[in-house]
Amino acid sequence: MKRVLLSWSSGKDSAWALHALRRRPDVELVGLLTTFNEAAGRVAMHAVRRALVEAQAEAAGLPLTAVMLPQPCTNEAYERRMKDAIAAARSEGVTHMAFGDLFLEDIRAYRVRLLDGSGVGPLFPIWTSREETPALAAAMLAAGIEAVLTCVDSRQLDPGFVGRPFDAALLADLPEGVDPCGERGEFHTFCRRCPAFSTEIAVTPGEVVVRDGFHFADLVPA
């Protein structure tokens, strides 16, 4: 039996990984791990409030490990704090860490390297190919995943998409070349409903903030 800690971004891919892991008989999920900007108290890149991530963890019935990152955060500082968190997890019996990555080989290689020598093995439960992400996005929706776009990279996607629900209409509106799961960083999401949640996390898109070409919708509890 693998005792698994799931890297949790608060988005739909993390939620789909949670759903996939819950269906595996060889896995015992022991918790979620999220990195937060310690100054803002929000998820890095997604800019989701910590309280909403805590609500997701409660809905999933899992404890949340918060890794606080300085602002600005160098890669060295990120790796040091992550390795400390991984070592602590290993001391508590965690054998594997799972990630919701889909097809970016360089990201996968980085995750593997970060865990190398820690005694914690990597898992990629929803790994697929770039050709299969349209079908994957459709499967998420069919299974009941509901999410909201919290961040849009305006260099890859029109900022008008921020705050929109991740649904069939959005997928139909995405321009050619944009991955339907946003795997190349075109957009990031917050998952409000998931088969692995006991309840929906009700949110409303609020103020939109622009930083360095990224448009963030501030999600507030509804």
Side-chain angles (χ1 to χ4, degrees), residues 36-156:
F36 294 94
N37 178 313
E38 64 186 2
R42 293 174 182 259
V43 181
M45 282 312 301
H46 294 236
V48 170
R49 300 168 185 238
R50 179 170 176 171
L52 292 177
V53 181
E54 291 172 343
Q56 288 178 320
E58 183 176 355
L62 293 168
L64 177 69
T65 296
V67 179
M68 308 308 293
L69 302 177
Q71 178 63 34
C73 184
T74 64
N75 193 58
E76 180 183 11
Y78 169 81
E79 291 193 359
R80 182 170 61 251
R81 298 198 182 190
M82 279 294 293
K83 288 180 177 179
D84 287 346
I86 292 164
R90 179 69 186 116
S91 71
E92 295 173 1
V94 168
T95 62
H96 291 78
M97 189 166 181
F99 303 91
D101 300 305
L102 301 181
F103 62 74
L104 295 177
E105 293 285 356
D106 56 339
I107 299 296
R108 178 171 178 145
Y110 180 78
R111 310 282 199 210
V112 172
R113 183 179 67 78
L114 191 65
L115 291 173
D116 187 42
S118 68
V120 175
L123 282 180
F124 299 90
I126 58 172
W127 189 257
T128 186
S129 71
R130 66 189 67 223
E131 293 78 20
E132 294 172 323
T133 54
L136 176 61
M140 289 182 186
L141 296 179
I145 291 282
E146 293 184 13
V148 181
L149 271 63
T150 63
C151 172
V152 165
D153 181 354
S154 63
R155 294 162 296 189
Q156 304 188 71

Side-chain angles (χ1 to χ4, degrees), residues 173-178:
D173 289 344
L174 289 177
E176 186 177 355
V178 172

